[in-house]
Amino acid sequence: MEEDFLSYAKDEDLSKICINCYDGINTITFSSNVKDAFNNLNYSTLKDYPHGNLLKKSIIDYWNNNICLKVNNIILTEGSINGIYLSNKLFLQPNDNVLGCTPQFPEYAMDVKMHGGNFNYYTLKEENNHIFDEDEFIKLIDNKYKLIYLDNPNNPTGQIISLKQIEKIVKIAKEYKIVIIVDEAYGDYMSPENSSINLINNYDNIIILKTFSKFFSLAGIRAGYMVVPNNFYNPLNKITNPYCINEIGRQMASIALNDNNFINETLFINKKIKSYFFKSLKNLIISHTDKTVAIFLLHHKNPNINLQKEFSKFNIVVVSGCSYMGLDKNYVRLRVPKEKNLEKVLQAFEYIDEL
């Protein structure tokens, strides 16, 4: 099943928008340690670039309670999307087939098509509240596929796929010699115990993508990383940019990873704000989601309602469902608002729910 793909990651003038629920970037909290580090920058910060391993060591330490990573399990990237580009560049040839699901991060399918590949997908069904069913997904796996791509948590629903489900898929994919890419762009909103990084020492057919843009609020430094098994490190390292992420970005990302107060506060406040949206609704439906994840998918029962347009009447900007495969104008993706904007967003919900 194939179709043309749109991108929601496009230029938008948000200067006149009062409430931005559009971007996936965390706007609720920001690391005070990172703020202090920015305020105290000096020239000596740059001296170790590009040979310093501070960020890789911080990544290793961050995951140390769950799994033992080594330097050659980590490839630095400019956000998780750079990891998408590198993975597809390494593995895809024209007419190769990739299996994913829909709705899902649309940029991935676009890049597959840029390589001349075919993106086929399993549909998260509206009648099942868009819940991911790994058994149904596994039925589609066969030897025609070169890659499998899943984002976890799912974008746009914000649902978390359990590590048990992911591992089940990885095992089947290995039988068919398929590489699975797990995009954890929103992964820091879930427990580290659920990350597919925990599988990296047991399977040689999995790649995990991470970013500092979403949870850590550091989109402006364009920092991310790939966690890969040993057999993929050298091939990927040959095609990556060895100067990826400037030294300031590396240091800020490292500081963010070590700010446990910020991490705990973000999870707590985000869950608190998101819980306000889980109430009885008449015409609006929230797809299956997890309360710790900053994004969720909303749709109106009336397919003729342009939900993005209705929210814009309240000066609230959201992502139209038309940006995702298989969704229509009566769908939107929202990122939870700041606490100061919560009341106005809830008022918009109440009004639109009556339409």
Side-chain angles (χ1 to χ4, degrees):
M1 203 173 183
E2 289 186 74
E3 60 181 71
D4 292 328
F5 308 116
L6 298 173
S7 169
Y8 66 81
K10 53 191 177 184
D11 292 335
E12 294 285 347
D13 182 6
L14 302 181
S15 61
K16 297 180 181 179
I17 300 298
C18 295
I19 302 174
N20 177 7
C21 294
Y22 182 95
D23 296 314
I25 302 162
N26 170 21
T27 61
I28 296 172
T29 54
F30 194 83
S31 168
S32 58
N33 290 353
V34 172
K35 284 182 182 178
D36 290 343
F38 268 118
N39 290 333
N40 292 293
L41 280 175
N42 59 67
Y43 180 76
S44 65
T45 300
L46 306 177
K47 63 182 175 60
D48 293 329
Y49 181 81
H51 304 294
N53 263 335
L54 174 66
L55 180 52
K56 284 193 175 185
K57 289 177 181 177
S58 294
I59 292 167
I60 290 169
D61 290 344
Y62 180 80
W63 290 103
N64 191 50
N65 288 335
N66 299 91
I67 188 168
C68 179
L69 295 177
K70 296 181 173 59
V71 170
N72 62 355
N73 290 128
I74 300 165
I75 292 177
L76 300 182
T77 60
E78 295 171 344
S80 56
I81 197 164
N82 183 213
I84 285 175
Y85 298 154
L86 287 172
S87 299
N88 286 345
K89 182 178 180 180
L90 179 64
F91 292 106
L92 289 184
Q93 298 292 328
N95 298 315
D96 279 344
N97 295 301
V98 180
L99 178 63
C101 70
T102 182
Q104 193 174 51
F105 181 50
E107 305 293 324
Y108 181 79
M110 291 176 63
D111 194 60
V112 170
K113 293 194 77 175
M114 289 291 291
H115 285 272
N118 307 307
F119 185 77
N120 304 321
Y121 52 84
Y122 155 75
T123 300
L124 305 181
K125 298 178 179 63
E126 181 180 306
E127 59 268 26
N128 196 33
N129 206 26
H130 298 100
I131 295 174
F132 180 82
D133 185 329
E134 79 276 13
D135 292 321
E136 291 298 312
F137 185 85
I138 285 171
K139 289 178 183 177
L140 300 177
I141 298 175
D142 60 35
N143 58 11
K144 76 177 179 183
Y145 290 110
K146 182 72 113 3
L147 296 174
I148 290 173
Y149 172 84
L150 291 172
D151 49 12
N152 189 32
N154 172 262
N155 173 9
T157 65
Q159 70 179 290
I160 294 172
I161 304 171
S162 74
L163 183 60
K164 183 178 179 181
Q165 291 174 294
I166 294 287
E167 185 170 16
K168 194 173 177 180
I169 295 168
V170 173
K171 284 181 179 179
I172 299 296
K174 185 173 174 60
E175 293 176 10
Y176 289 101
K177 298 181 180 179
I178 301 170
V179 175
I180 178 165
I181 300 166
V182 183
D183 186 348
E184 294 188 0
Y186 291 91
D188 297 293
Y189 285 102
M190 64 185 182
S191 167
E193 285 73 25
N194 197 66
S195 172
S196 295
I197 289 174
N198 294 292
L199 303 176
I200 205 70
N201 291 333
N202 298 325
Y203 298 93
D204 62 0
N205 65 321
I206 185 169
I207 291 172
I208 301 95
L209 312 180
K210 305 289 287 187
T211 183
F212 292 93
S213 297
K214 310 300 185 186
F215 181 92
F216 289 101
S217 311
L218 294 173
I221 66 171
R222 301 309 304 147
Y225 59 100
M226 305 169 73
V227 178
V228 302
N230 292 333
N231 53 306
F232 291 154
Y233 179 79
N234 285 334
L236 283 166
N237 206 37
K238 288 178 181 177
I239 61 173
T240 191
N241 173 10
Y243 307 108
C244 192
I245 315 176
N246 63 54
E247 189 61 28
I248 294 173
R250 293 182 186 193
Q251 293 205 20
M252 297 306 149
S254 176
I255 291 166
L257 274 178
N258 287 290
D259 192 344
N260 291 322
N261 289 335
F262 159 75
I263 292 170
N264 293 331
E265 179 190 25
T266 302
L267 291 171
F268 175 79
I269 296 177
N270 193 81
K271 184 176 181 179
K272 175 185 172 184
I273 295 174
K274 193 170 181 179
S275 66
Y276 283 99
F277 294 93
F278 292 88
K279 59 182 181 179
S280 179
L281 297 167
K282 183 167 64 177
N283 290 307
L284 290 175
I285 299 173
I286 296 176
S287 297
H288 179 63
T289 191
D290 285 84
K291 289 185 179 179
T292 59
V293 185
I295 55 173
F296 60 97
L297 181 65
L298 180 74
H299 78 273
H300 198 286
K301 291 179 181 178
N302 183 348
N304 296 315
I305 294 285
N306 186 327
L307 206 49
Q308 184 186 50
K309 186 175 180 180
E310 293 301 328
F311 275 101
S312 71
K313 293 175 182 177
F314 292 84
N315 288 330
I316 299 169
V317 64
V318 294
V319 179
S320 171
C322 295
S323 297
Y324 292 91
M325 297 177 283
L327 300 184
D328 212 332
K329 64 182 180 180
N330 63 318
Y331 279 86
V332 294
R333 190 202 75 180
L334 293 92
R335 189 207 65 242
V336 295
K338 296 179 180 179
E339 283 189 279
K340 68 178 184 179
N341 296 324
L342 177 60
E343 184 177 354
K344 186 168 183 181
V345 176
L346 290 173
Q347 287 173 354
F349 260 67
E350 292 176 3
Y351 175 84
I352 297 170
D353 191 46
E354 294 296 327
L355 296 177

